[in-house]
Amino acid sequence: MQISDKRTVTRWVIIIVSFFIVTFIVWNTYYLFQIFKEEERNKMELWAQSQISLNNANENTDVELPLRIITGNRTIPIIKVEVHKGKDSVVDIANIDESIPKNSERMRAILEDLKMENSPIKMEISKKHIQYLYYGNSTLLNVLKYYPFALVLIIILFGAVVYNFYRATKAGAQNRLWAGMAKETAHQIGTPLSSLLGWIEIMRADDVDETTVTEVEKDVLRLQTIADRFSKIGSEPVLEERDVIAETEKSFQYLKSRASRQVEFSFTAPNYPVKVLLNPELHSWTIENLVKNAIDAMKGKGTLHVEIQERENYVKIRVTDSGKGIPKSQFRKVFEPGFTTKKRGWGLGLSLTRRIVEEYHNGRIKVAQSEIGKGTTMQVTLDKIK
């Protein structure tokens, strides 16, 4: 519990620090943007003064510096206008596509854009001759304007890469742990099983009642099946070409014979073989988990229907119960390790089932449909052999 709390605190610290870093980057970029904007304003005012000096120059005026200032602007778009009877009349342009003045609508649109970007600079050529200088942001400012968004996007992408790496590493560690535990479980079960098989032979030699010996043998064989399942899930299982209908019905009938008589079982499937690649022991475990979950959801009383539907390229195995149902918000959560609604459950059954179906059989499993108080349908989809 303490480890979990520490991890939660660490995550929140990382989130808060990341938030402050992003906020600082955005604020700092905005601050730089304002500084550059003010510098460009000063350049445009100097450009306007140089233009006025040229307009009022005579043969004794030194025009070299004003000319250098005017010709030095190669990035800031400029439109110079005069106002006649309340209407703007374009006098001159700079750093704007030369084809634009030929189109009055485009010229008007660009002028309106420049008016929105910056306030105009008044150029008083003479007392009766006044012009207004409208200018836009330079290429540098336009790039800088989108720089914070690019940085935030980079941070998000970097975070996504780190998160995916973390998840992949964690999943790999869990898989190795899961496989190790499964192999160890199979090994631990195998030792007493060998001894039990020997005792069964001794019981037969001592003329113990055959019914008793047979029942004990069935339980031992059941334990052997469980050990075999754990052994296969702890390593890469071998898939065989099998009739999915026969394999499913075999598991279904086994569970039916051992379930409460208050559960009404039914099975529907095509009356011909349907071949798929599967591991019989692990497929049996899948059906067993789904059927047992369905019985638990009905609290041992209700109707349970298993149906196999064949399609062109795949086959569906649907297990439907009349239990309490699953909320739609939990359709995905039910397959997560540790998730359970039972008081004494471990929450591993459906997680293990999904592992068997998706990782070992390259299939798909989902909650096909569910309604609170009416029941649930779980669906397994497997590819057919073509």
Side-chain angles (χ1 to χ4, degrees):
M1 191 68 178
Q2 291 179 348
I3 294 175
S4 178
D5 291 340
K6 287 181 180 179
R7 287 178 178 174
T8 302
V9 171
T10 302
R11 289 192 193 103
W12 277 108
V13 169
I14 292 172
I15 290 171
I16 292 170
V17 170
S18 300
F19 174 77
F20 278 111
I21 290 173
V22 171
T23 303
F24 174 76
I25 291 172
V26 173
W27 176 84
N28 192 52
T29 306
Y30 175 77
Y31 178 71
L32 290 175
F33 180 82
Q34 295 301 320
I35 291 176
F36 282 124
K37 197 173 181 67
E38 187 63 30
E39 287 185 357
E40 288 195 353
R41 178 79 181 184
N42 293 334
K43 288 180 181 179
M44 287 299 96
E45 288 177 349
L46 188 60
W47 193 94
Q49 290 297 324
S50 300
Q51 189 69 55
I52 293 171
S53 298
L54 285 179
N55 287 342
N56 296 326
N58 54 39
E59 64 275 7
N60 297 319
T61 304
D62 184 4
V63 296
E64 183 179 355
L65 181 60
L67 281 173
R68 289 183 63 183
I69 292 173
I70 291 172
T71 57
N73 172 39
R74 296 185 178 87
T75 59
I76 301 175
I78 291 173
I79 297 180
K80 193 165 54 172
V81 303
E82 290 181 353
V83 180
H84 293 288
K85 297 181 181 180
K87 293 184 178 181
D88 295 331
S89 176
V90 177
V91 176
D92 193 14
I93 64 171
N95 301 319
I96 293 177
D97 191 347
E98 295 179 356
S99 64
I100 290 178
K102 298 176 183 178
N103 188 322
S104 58
E105 291 184 2
R106 289 185 64 190
M107 191 66 194
R108 175 59 57 183
I110 291 176
L111 180 58
E112 293 300 322
D113 289 340
L114 296 187
K115 287 182 179 181
M116 294 288 292
E117 288 187 11
N118 298 287
S119 57
I121 296 174
K122 186 177 180 181
M123 298 174 59
E124 191 171 344
I125 308 300
S126 64
K127 290 184 178 180
K128 294 183 179 181
H129 188 195
I130 296 175
Q131 296 177 345
Y132 291 92
L133 178 67
Y134 292 96
Y135 67 97
N137 295 329
S138 66
T139 306
L140 176 62
L141 269 184
N142 286 329
V143 171
L144 192 61
K145 183 166 58 177
Y146 296 106
Y147 184 64
F149 299 103
L151 283 177
V152 171
L153 182 60
I154 291 171
I155 291 171
I156 291 173
L157 291 175
F158 179 76
V161 170
V162 172
Y163 176 73
N164 286 330
F165 175 76
Y166 169 76
R167 283 195 62 184
T169 304
K170 185 178 179 181
Q174 288 179 342
N175 287 338
R176 289 191 294 272
L177 177 62
W178 192 307
M181 289 179 64
K183 287 182 178 179
E184 182 62 21
T185 302
H187 176 71
Q188 293 295 336
I189 293 175
T191 303
L193 274 179
S194 300
S195 177
L196 286 172
L197 288 170
W199 281 107
I200 288 173
E201 294 304 319
I202 293 173
M203 290 170 67
R204 282 203 172 99
D206 290 343
D207 294 326
V208 176
D209 181 57
E210 185 61 29
T211 304
T212 303
V213 176
T214 301
E215 290 302 316
V216 172
E217 189 174 28
K218 285 181 181 179
D219 289 336
V220 171
L221 291 175
R222 177 65 177 166
L223 286 173
Q224 277 187 321
T225 301
I226 293 171
D228 194 33
R229 288 174 177 176
F230 275 102
S231 176
K232 284 181 169 57
I233 204 168
S235 56
E236 192 67 29
V238 177
L239 301 183
E240 304 171 10
E241 183 177 327
R242 292 293 186 104
D243 176 14
V244 69
I245 296 175
E247 294 296 332
T248 303
E249 188 173 11
K250 186 192 302 181
S251 300
F252 173 81
Q253 294 298 339
Y254 174 84
L255 294 166
K256 178 181 176 181
S257 65
R258 285 159 176 76
S260 168
R261 293 185 178 180
Q262 292 182 312
V263 178
E264 184 181 340
F265 285 85
S266 59
F267 183 85
T268 305
N271 57 1
Y272 51 84
V274 177
K275 300 291 185 178
V276 299
L277 285 175
L278 55 79
N279 182 277
E281 289 79 12
L282 294 184
H283 179 71
S284 174
W285 203 355
T286 297
I287 301 303
E288 183 177 316
N289 282 338
L290 294 178
V291 170
K292 283 186 175 180
N293 269 4
I295 294 173
D296 289 341
M298 297 185 295
K299 296 183 178 179
K301 183 178 180 180
T303 59
L304 190 150
H305 180 60
V306 175
E307 179 184 12
I308 298 180
Q309 300 175 352
E310 184 191 15
R311 297 292 184 266
E312 184 179 354
N313 297 318
Y314 57 89
V315 60
K316 293 180 181 179
I317 304 171
R318 294 166 65 90
V319 179
T320 303
D321 63 66
S322 58
K324 59 185 178 180
I326 302 171
K328 196 169 184 178
S329 60
Q330 294 181 358
F331 277 17
R332 292 181 179 272
K333 288 184 179 180
V334 295
F335 296 105
E336 294 177 1
F339 180 86
T340 180
T341 57
K342 304 173 190 175
K343 291 182 180 179
R344 297 183 180 180
W346 287 84
L348 295 176
L350 287 178
S351 173
L352 179 62
T353 303
R354 183 175 67 174
R355 181 184 177 93
I356 293 171
V357 172
E358 295 184 356
E359 294 189 23
Y360 295 148
H361 290 96
N362 298 316
R364 297 165 297 282
I365 185 171
K366 67 177 182 178
V367 180
Q369 60 188 44
S370 185
E371 190 173 346
I372 301 299
K374 292 189 177 181
T376 301
T377 297
M378 304 294 292
Q379 178 176 292
V380 174
T381 305
L382 299 174
D383 294 329
K384 288 168 54 178
I385 296 177
K386 297 181 181 179

PDB file of all heavy atoms in Angstrom, residues 159-175:
ATOM      1  N   GLY A 159       6.414  12.506 -24.046  1.00  0.00           N
ATOM      2  CA  GLY A 159       5.721  11.854 -22.942  1.00  0.00           C
ATOM      3  C   GLY A 159       5.034  10.581 -23.382  1.00  0.00           C
ATOM      4  O   GLY A 159       5.035   9.578 -22.658  1.00  0.00           O
ATOM      5  N   ALA A 160       4.435  10.611 -24.593  1.00  0.00           N
ATOM      6  CA  ALA A 160       3.756   9.416 -25.113  1.00  0.00           C
ATOM      7  C   ALA A 160       4.754   8.288 -25.355  1.00  0.00           C
ATOM      8  O   ALA A 160       4.472   7.119 -25.054  1.00  0.00           O
ATOM      9  CB  ALA A 160       3.014   9.761 -26.401  1.00  0.00           C
ATOM     10  N   VAL A 161       5.929   8.636 -25.884  1.00  0.00           N
ATOM     11  CA  VAL A 161       6.962   7.619 -26.127  1.00  0.00           C
ATOM     12  C   VAL A 161       7.431   7.005 -24.807  1.00  0.00           C
ATOM     13  O   VAL A 161       7.558   5.776 -24.680  1.00  0.00           O
ATOM     14  CB  VAL A 161       8.159   8.240 -26.884  1.00  0.00           C
ATOM     15  CG1 VAL A 161       9.329   7.270 -26.920  1.00  0.00           C
ATOM     16  CG2 VAL A 161       7.755   8.605 -28.307  1.00  0.00           C
ATOM     17  N   VAL A 162       7.672   7.875 -23.809  1.00  0.00           N
ATOM     18  CA  VAL A 162       8.115   7.381 -22.495  1.00  0.00           C
ATOM     19  C   VAL A 162       7.038   6.504 -21.869  1.00  0.00           C
ATOM     20  O   VAL A 162       7.329   5.444 -21.305  1.00  0.00           O
ATOM     21  CB  VAL A 162       8.461   8.569 -21.566  1.00  0.00           C
ATOM     22  CG1 VAL A 162       8.721   8.078 -20.143  1.00  0.00           C
ATOM     23  CG2 VAL A 162       9.674   9.319 -22.094  1.00  0.00           C
ATOM     24  N   TYR A 163       5.773   6.948 -21.979  1.00  0.00           N
ATOM     25  CA  TYR A 163       4.668   6.182 -21.400  1.00  0.00           C
ATOM     26  C   TYR A 163       4.536   4.815 -22.063  1.00  0.00           C
ATOM     27  O   TYR A 163       4.356   3.798 -21.381  1.00  0.00           O
ATOM     28  CB  TYR A 163       3.370   6.974 -21.553  1.00  0.00           C
ATOM     29  CG  TYR A 163       2.145   6.223 -21.076  1.00  0.00           C
ATOM     30  CD1 TYR A 163       1.911   6.022 -19.716  1.00  0.00           C
ATOM     31  CD2 TYR A 163       1.221   5.715 -21.983  1.00  0.00           C
ATOM     32  CE1 TYR A 163       0.800   5.336 -19.268  1.00  0.00           C
ATOM     33  CE2 TYR A 163       0.102   5.020 -21.546  1.00  0.00           C
ATOM     34  CZ  TYR A 163      -0.111   4.843 -20.183  1.00  0.00           C
ATOM     35  OH  TYR A 163      -1.214   4.155 -19.757  1.00  0.00           O
ATOM     36  N   ASN A 164       4.617   4.787 -23.398  1.00  0.00           N
ATOM     37  CA  ASN A 164       4.517   3.512 -24.114  1.00  0.00           C
ATOM     38  C   ASN A 164       5.694   2.590 -23.772  1.00  0.00           C
ATOM     39  O   ASN A 164       5.511   1.371 -23.641  1.00  0.00           O
ATOM     40  CB  ASN A 164       4.469   3.751 -25.622  1.00  0.00           C
ATOM     41  CG  ASN A 164       3.131   4.298 -26.066  1.00  0.00           C
ATOM     42  OD1 ASN A 164       2.107   4.010 -25.453  1.00  0.00           O
ATOM     43  ND2 ASN A 164       3.119   5.079 -27.135  1.00  0.00           N
ATOM     44  N   PHE A 165       6.877   3.187 -23.650  1.00  0.00           N
ATOM     45  CA  PHE A 165       8.045   2.388 -23.254  1.00  0.00           C
ATOM     46  C   PHE A 165       7.851   1.815 -21.853  1.00  0.00           C
ATOM     47  O   PHE A 165       8.148   0.640 -21.594  1.00  0.00           O
ATOM     48  CB  PHE A 165       9.309   3.253 -23.299  1.00  0.00           C
ATOM     49  CG  PHE A 165      10.543   2.552 -22.802  1.00  0.00           C
ATOM     50  CD1 PHE A 165      11.191   1.615 -23.596  1.00  0.00           C
ATOM     51  CD2 PHE A 165      11.041   2.816 -21.531  1.00  0.00           C
ATOM     52  CE1 PHE A 165      12.320   0.958 -23.130  1.00  0.00           C
ATOM     53  CE2 PHE A 165      12.170   2.168 -21.059  1.00  0.00           C
ATOM     54  CZ  PHE A 165      12.811   1.243 -21.863  1.00  0.00           C
ATOM     55  N   TYR A 166       7.333   2.648 -20.957  1.00  0.00           N
ATOM     56  CA  TYR A 166       7.079   2.196 -19.585  1.00  0.00           C
ATOM     57  C   TYR A 166       6.057   1.068 -19.569  1.00  0.00           C
ATOM     58  O   TYR A 166       6.235   0.059 -18.882  1.00  0.00           O
ATOM     59  CB  TYR A 166       6.588   3.371 -18.744  1.00  0.00           C
ATOM     60  CG  TYR A 166       6.044   2.975 -17.390  1.00  0.00           C
ATOM     61  CD1 TYR A 166       6.890   2.627 -16.340  1.00  0.00           C
ATOM     62  CD2 TYR A 166       4.662   2.954 -17.165  1.00  0.00           C
ATOM     63  CE1 TYR A 166       6.378   2.259 -15.100  1.00  0.00           C
ATOM     64  CE2 TYR A 166       4.149   2.588 -15.929  1.00  0.00           C
ATOM     65  CZ  TYR A 166       5.010   2.254 -14.902  1.00  0.00           C
ATOM     66  OH  TYR A 166       4.496   1.890 -13.687  1.00  0.00           O
ATOM     67  N   ARG A 167       4.973   1.230 -20.336  1.00  0.00           N
ATOM     68  CA  ARG A 167       3.934   0.199 -20.381  1.00  0.00           C
ATOM     69  C   ARG A 167       4.466  -1.105 -20.971  1.00  0.00           C
ATOM     70  O   ARG A 167       4.166  -2.194 -20.464  1.00  0.00           O
ATOM     71  CB  ARG A 167       2.751   0.683 -21.214  1.00  0.00           C
ATOM     72  CG  ARG A 167       1.845   1.668 -20.512  1.00  0.00           C
ATOM     73  CD  ARG A 167       0.536   1.818 -21.219  1.00  0.00           C
ATOM     74  NE  ARG A 167      -0.209   0.562 -21.246  1.00  0.00           N
ATOM     75  CZ  ARG A 167      -1.364   0.399 -21.872  1.00  0.00           C
ATOM     76  NH1 ARG A 167      -1.901   1.403 -22.544  1.00  0.00           N
ATOM     77  NH2 ARG A 167      -1.977  -0.757 -21.835  1.00  0.00           N
ATOM     78  N   ALA A 168       5.258  -0.966 -22.055  1.00  0.00           N
ATOM     79  CA  ALA A 168       5.818  -2.169 -22.683  1.00  0.00           C
ATOM     80  C   ALA A 168       6.766  -2.892 -21.731  1.00  0.00           C
ATOM     81  O   ALA A 168       6.755  -4.124 -21.632  1.00  0.00           O
ATOM     82  CB  ALA A 168       6.544  -1.794 -23.968  1.00  0.00           C
ATOM     83  N   THR A 169       7.591  -2.117 -21.019  1.00  0.00           N
ATOM     84  CA  THR A 169       8.517  -2.715 -20.055  1.00  0.00           C
ATOM     85  C   THR A 169       7.764  -3.398 -18.924  1.00  0.00           C
ATOM     86  O   THR A 169       8.099  -4.515 -18.512  1.00  0.00           O
ATOM     87  CB  THR A 169       9.452  -1.637 -19.477  1.00  0.00           C
ATOM     88  OG1 THR A 169      10.122  -0.983 -20.553  1.00  0.00           O
ATOM     89  CG2 THR A 169      10.479  -2.242 -18.545  1.00  0.00           C
ATOM     90  N   LYS A 170       6.726  -2.711 -18.430  1.00  0.00           N
ATOM     91  CA  LYS A 170       5.928  -3.272 -17.332  1.00  0.00           C
ATOM     92  C   LYS A 170       5.203  -4.532 -17.780  1.00  0.00           C
ATOM     93  O   LYS A 170       5.158  -5.535 -17.059  1.00  0.00           O
ATOM     94  CB  LYS A 170       4.916  -2.225 -16.856  1.00  0.00           C
ATOM     95  CG  LYS A 170       4.118  -2.658 -15.635  1.00  0.00           C
ATOM     96  CD  LYS A 170       3.177  -1.559 -15.178  1.00  0.00           C
ATOM     97  CE  LYS A 170       2.369  -2.012 -13.966  1.00  0.00           C
ATOM     98  NZ  LYS A 170       1.420  -0.945 -13.523  1.00  0.00           N
ATOM     99  N   ALA A 171       4.632  -4.483 -19.009  1.00  0.00           N
ATOM    100  CA  ALA A 171       3.920  -5.651 -19.538  1.00  0.00           C
ATOM    101  C   ALA A 171       4.877  -6.824 -19.726  1.00  0.00           C
ATOM    102  O   ALA A 171       4.543  -7.977 -19.433  1.00  0.00           O
ATOM    103  CB  ALA A 171       3.245  -5.302 -20.864  1.00  0.00           C
ATOM    104  N   GLY A 172       6.103  -6.525 -20.209  1.00  0.00           N
ATOM    105  CA  GLY A 172       7.100  -7.582 -20.380  1.00  0.00           C
ATOM    106  C   GLY A 172       7.476  -8.221 -19.057  1.00  0.00           C
ATOM    107  O   GLY A 172       7.600  -9.451 -18.956  1.00  0.00           O
ATOM    108  N   ALA A 173       7.642  -7.381 -18.027  1.00  0.00           N
ATOM    109  CA  ALA A 173       7.972  -7.916 -16.700  1.00  0.00           C
ATOM    110  C   ALA A 173       6.824  -8.761 -16.156  1.00  0.00           C
ATOM    111  O   ALA A 173       7.045  -9.825 -15.563  1.00  0.00           O
ATOM    112  CB  ALA A 173       8.282  -6.761 -15.741  1.00  0.00           C
ATOM    113  N   GLN A 174       5.581  -8.285 -16.364  1.00  0.00           N
ATOM    114  CA  GLN A 174       4.423  -9.054 -15.910  1.00  0.00           C
ATOM    115  C   GLN A 174       4.316 -10.392 -16.638  1.00  0.00           C
ATOM    116  O   GLN A 174       3.990 -11.414 -16.030  1.00  0.00           O
ATOM    117  CB  GLN A 174       3.147  -8.236 -16.117  1.00  0.00           C
ATOM    118  CG  GLN A 174       2.992  -7.069 -15.153  1.00  0.00           C
ATOM    119  CD  GLN A 174       1.737  -6.278 -15.419  1.00  0.00           C
ATOM    120  OE1 GLN A 174       1.132  -6.370 -16.493  1.00  0.00           O
ATOM    121  NE2 GLN A 174       1.327  -5.477 -14.449  1.00  0.00           N
ATOM    122  N   ASN A 175       4.591 -10.361 -17.938  1.00  0.00           N
ATOM    123  CA  ASN A 175       4.532 -11.605 -18.721  1.00  0.00           C
ATOM    124  C   ASN A 175       5.571 -12.616 -18.237  1.00  0.00           C
ATOM    125  O   ASN A 175       5.280 -13.808 -18.124  1.00  0.00           O
ATOM    126  CB  ASN A 175       4.738 -11.306 -20.206  1.00  0.00           C
ATOM    127  CG  ASN A 175       3.525 -10.640 -20.821  1.00  0.00           C
ATOM    128  OD1 ASN A 175       2.414 -10.751 -20.303  1.00  0.00           O
ATOM    129  ND2 ASN A 175       3.719  -9.947 -21.926  1.00  0.00           N
TER     130      ASN A 175
END
